[in-house]
Amino acid sequence: SPTALILTNVLASLMLQVVLMVIVLFVFFVGGVELRWTLVLIPYYMICLGCLGFVIALMVSPFAARSTDIAQAVNSLLLVWFWASPIIWKVEILPAELMPVAWLNPFYYVIEGYRSIMLYGDVFQVSLSHHLSFWAMVLCLGLTGRLALTRSASNLREWLIR
């Protein structure tokens, strides 16, 4: 069933994330990095990342069912999004006037959360409004995805058969 397939993929992704996290923690331990209490916050950011990935998939899935070219376009957009996200660069290199733009990228919240916990042993110091804005973005993306899915529901069977 489709639900079983989705749950299998989610569990496989979660297991991969857990295994990779164990490897990272092992490398930290072997490298002499002090493990701090803030590591207990890692599951929170895993949930944030999972929710964000789910709502993005929810938004894209009706369009991917409509056209197979959408999947390739999404791959290209994700690559651009990767380089636009502060994964391999620190957000502090941005001019101060562009910092609000960084907050428009929902991955910034998750990336900085992981970075603060794992590299600095610190809690990601942001205001309540930043936490709420991340979850508001996730909610808006989820509602947009649901709207796209419900509007295309009558056509999905036809699109998938082709």
Side-chain angles (χ1 to χ4, degrees), residues 41-112:
L41 295 174
I42 287 176
Y44 169 73
Y45 288 104
M46 291 173 94
I47 290 168
C48 289
L49 189 60
C51 289
L52 188 57
F54 176 75
V55 298
I56 290 171
L58 189 64
M59 277 180 38
V60 171
S61 60
F63 304 109
R66 175 80 170 121
S67 171
T68 56
D69 295 335
I70 294 294
Q72 289 150 0
V74 167
N75 285 336
S76 298
L77 287 173
L78 284 176
L79 188 60
V80 170
W81 201 355
F82 170 80
W83 290 106
S85 297
I87 295 172
I88 57 173
W89 54 274
K90 290 192 66 150
V91 78
E92 286 81 18
I93 67 171
L94 287 176
E97 58 271 4
L98 288 180
M99 276 305 294
V101 175
W103 281 105
L104 295 176
N105 182 349
F107 282 111
Y108 171 68
Y109 176 81
V110 177
I111 292 163
E112 286 300 313

